[in-house]
Amino acid sequence: MKPTDKINLPKDFWFGAAASAPQTEGAAQIDGKSPSTWDMWHTLEPERFDQAMGPNVTSDVYHHYRDDVKRMQAMKLNSYRTSIAWTRLLPDGNTLNPKAVTFYRDYFKAMREGGIEPVINLFHFDMPWWLMEKGGWEYEGVSDAFAYYAQVCVETFGDLVTYWTTFNEPIVHVECSYLYGYHYPAIHDFKKAIHAGYQTILAHAKAIQAMRMVNPNLKLGTILNLTPVYGKSDHIADRKAQEAADLLNTKSFLDGMVLGRFSEPLLDLLREHDLIPDTNDDDLEIISKVKLDFIGVNYYQPRRVQAPVKATYPAQDPKDLYIPYTWPKRRMNPYRGWEIYPEALTDIATLIKEDYHNIPWYLSENGMGVADEMRFVDENGTIQDDYRIEFIYDHLSVLEQAIADGANCFGYHLWTFVDCWSWLNGYRNRYGFYRVDLKTQKRYPKQSSFWMRDVIEHHQKGGE
Ligand code: BGP
């Protein structure tokens, strides 16, 4: 097993875990919550979900949060990210649900009292159904509705939560809804995807503005999946493919949400393919005023691309600009089908340092989903997840070096704390420090939770 006393990270480094409301809370149909698009889609088309499992039950954190927080304490975690369900807090978009206020206040208070910094995200792919019926990200009122929700969140919980983020991986709800068919409405329209991306960036800017007005002392940020793009070769066509993938997937949201502007190369690419969304000067002005205190970086796997062999012009789909490339030397997590490449964290750190003013950041999601983990259970009921320990160790080691080289990285959160529900894979791949038995909802620590606790203890002792 990997050593627990070899990793040395800065004082006050965040050790924690991440999750989201829709993937953990359950209680989807009680206490005044209105349906999210996921709840509704699952009711309408359960066959689209792995083993027809939807977000209605999950790991029932709604009823288990107090004990879960105690488990976090036992592991010595000092921070935890989850999200608020918009549909629970404001079931119709306007009216505050008192039961949701009680639940979240109690949950956040429990974290605070346990010495765990709550990091609260506002939107984790979970569009309210009432808003989706108006058009979702295509509806012109979506950014104002989101800003109102953000304002209510900090008015209601700002005394308990200092760290807030607007979106988790905003590109995902865009590409999965409008290009790849994985999220509702599962349509294919490149232009609508770009428009939805722009609306998301505008919603982020309006939310940040609204939250700052309520309380200028909060720490505000967003969470992006910064997947470095590696081209197959130095051939000009592959380099062009790599640049397009980087502009569309990485720079678009980084520039728009962190710097408050869009780069000329991105605008040129969109113009060339007739993809420029409708904008107006007032909105661009709001976007340009955004200032963030930090960002979260979700990183699981690199993006490797090559030039398409055959492409439609102008592009009707990202695959007209770049296609995936399978690197022959790759190391894989075969269960999720994702490459394991911790070295990319060095490139992420350099990108943030050089192009984004070295804004403070933390690794807000990283982890390894593995199927059939009960294969590895020992006589004490503990899953011996050495593969996860190795995965975490390898990523923490690269982070340690990046920090020594000047990266402004202040934390590491594993996805996830207790095994949780996945949008596409139900409970097939398990990610948690804790296993959950879905029949009883009982939680059992995995070996990685003990290992991580020892890493944190070593850190707390000053790291010698
Ligand atoms: C991230 C999402 C999480 C989570 C994780 C694991 O991109 O932010 O919500 O789901 O990926 O992915 P999956 O559940 O598809 O295995």
Side-chain angles (χ1 to χ4, degrees):
M1 207 193 301
K2 293 286 181 185
T4 54
D5 60 353
K6 292 278 177 287
I7 295 162
N8 292 300
L9 292 156
K11 199 173 160 288
D12 301 327
F13 195 76
W14 275 0
F15 289 97
S20 75
Q23 291 174 276
T24 57
E25 283 179 8
Q29 288 153 14
I30 62 167
D31 287 353
K33 182 182 174 301
S34 71
S36 72
T37 299
W38 288 95
D39 297 323
M40 199 48 105
W41 203 19
H42 180 248
T43 306
L44 297 173
E45 295 182 78
E47 67 283 359
R48 278 195 179 254
F49 293 73
D50 186 67
Q51 296 183 43
M53 243 190 199
N56 43 334
V57 176
T58 71
S59 313
D60 199 23
V61 162
Y62 192 72
H63 296 109
H64 290 79
Y65 62 94
R66 285 204 193 90
D67 289 337
D68 281 350
V69 169
K70 288 196 187 118
R71 291 181 184 100
M72 292 174 202
Q73 278 180 277
M75 258 190 81
K76 300 189 180 293
L77 300 187
N78 60 8
S79 47
Y80 182 69
R81 192 240 316 180
T82 186
S83 64
I84 289 175
W86 190 350
T87 47
R88 193 181 296 287
L89 190 68
L90 295 173
D92 62 3
N94 289 308
T95 320
L96 200 57
N97 173 5
K99 288 203 166 141
V101 175
T102 304
F103 163 62
Y104 287 117
R105 285 199 66 83
D106 206 46
Y107 191 5
F108 302 155
K109 235 188 250 166
M111 283 191 227
R112 286 230 84 84
E113 286 167 8
I116 292 150
E117 183 80 55
V119 183
I120 301 304
N121 180 45
L122 300 179
F123 187 95
H124 199 120
F125 315 158
D126 53 337
M127 172 70 73
W129 182 250
W130 62 264
L131 192 50
M132 182 54 82
E133 281 186 307
K134 295 186 176 191
W137 291 110
E138 294 170 55
Y139 166 55
E140 60 179 333
V142 67
S143 55
D144 288 328
F146 183 72
Y148 176 68
Y149 159 56
Q151 177 195 320
V152 171
C153 282
V154 295
E155 281 168 355
T156 315
F157 308 112
D159 58 327
L160 296 172
V161 178
T162 306
Y163 289 84
W164 292 90
T165 57
T166 52
F167 285 91
N168 175 79
E169 302 189 353
I171 195 164
V172 171
H173 66 251
V174 170
E175 63 184 6
C176 290
S177 306
Y178 294 98
L179 290 168
Y180 305 139
Y182 299 128
H183 294 193
Y184 191 91
I187 56 176
H188 183 279
D189 189 320
F190 205 175
K191 196 153 185 165
K192 279 190 181 172
I194 300 291
H195 178 66
Y198 173 73
Q199 292 265 73
T200 302
I201 292 169
L202 180 60
H204 158 83
K206 287 186 178 175
I208 295 284
Q209 191 182 49
M211 292 193 281
R212 290 242 190 263
M213 294 237 282
V214 176
N215 183 346
N217 300 319
L218 299 173
K219 300 277 183 208
L220 305 182
T222 199
I223 292 179
L224 301 169
N225 44 330
L226 295 190
T227 306
V229 185
Y230 302 103
K232 178 183 174 191
S233 76
D234 268 347
H235 189 282
I236 185 151
D238 285 338
R239 286 221 310 266
K240 236 179 115 184
Q242 189 237 346
E243 197 196 355
D246 192 42
L247 287 171
L248 284 173
N249 295 288
T250 313
K251 300 280 170 49
S252 50
F253 285 93
L254 251 176
D255 288 350
M257 288 183 156
V258 179
L259 302 179
R261 57 180 150 78
F262 302 99
S263 70
E264 271 315 308
L266 175 65
L267 295 175
D268 286 347
L269 182 77
L270 297 181
R271 260 182 228 116
E272 182 185 346
H273 296 279
D274 188 26
L275 293 168
I276 291 273
D278 288 338
T279 60
N280 68 56
D281 289 348
D282 292 345
D283 290 346
L284 289 171
E285 170 86 8
I286 294 173
I287 291 173
S288 76
K289 295 238 166 82
V290 154
K291 288 244 169 340
L292 300 186
D293 300 300
F294 72 102
I295 55 172
V297 173
N298 289 0
Y299 173 70
Y300 291 87
Q301 55 161 350
R303 188 189 299 277
R304 299 192 187 276
V305 301
Q306 59 187 321
V309 186
K310 224 172 81 197
T312 306
Y313 186 89
Q316 300 299 308
D317 187 287
K319 73 176 180 322
D320 293 322
L321 301 166
Y322 58 89
I323 57 170
Y325 165 63
T326 305
W327 186 40
K329 293 191 197 146
R330 70 193 179 147
R331 177 156 71 107
M332 288 296 287
N333 167 2
Y335 310 101
R336 189 58 181 85
W338 285 348
E339 183 182 339
I340 299 175
Y341 188 67
E343 295 86 334
L345 288 173
T346 311
D347 294 322
I348 291 174
T350 306
L351 174 75
I352 296 175
K353 196 158 62 176
E354 290 180 355
D355 295 350
Y356 298 92
H357 316 304
N358 213 8
I359 182 169
W361 63 280
Y362 80 109
L363 192 51
S364 42
E365 269 185 45
N366 179 238
M368 193 175 177
V370 171
D372 301 322
E373 279 200 307
M374 287 307 275
R375 279 174 295 165
F376 307 114
V377 81
D378 67 12
E379 59 285 4
N380 303 316
T382 307
I383 287 175
Q384 294 295 332
D385 53 346
D386 291 0
Y387 40 86
R388 182 166 293 108
I389 292 171
E390 184 176 329
F391 183 96
I392 300 171
Y393 181 86
D394 289 352
H395 285 82
L396 280 178
S397 303
V398 177
L399 263 193
E400 181 184 350
Q401 185 57 47
I403 293 168
D405 294 340
N408 211 352
C409 173
F410 63 87
Y412 177 91
H413 280 188
L414 185 84
W415 184 269
T416 185
F417 186 63
V418 173
D419 289 340
C420 70
W421 176 79
S422 159
W423 319 96
L424 309 178
N425 298 310
Y427 274 85
R428 188 149 46 98
N429 298 321
R430 305 293 185 107
Y431 285 86
F433 278 129
Y434 275 74
R435 145 169 94 87
V436 66
D437 177 336
L438 285 174
K439 288 203 193 83
T440 58
Q441 287 294 351
K442 268 188 85 171
R443 280 87 156 122
Y444 302 85
K446 300 182 194 173
Q447 190 58 40
S448 55
S449 74
F450 300 125
W451 180 84
M452 195 69 189
R453 182 204 54 206
D454 291 351
V455 169
I456 300 170
E457 234 166 33
H458 169 75
H459 176 79
Q460 286 173 342
K461 284 187 194 136
E464 314 79 50

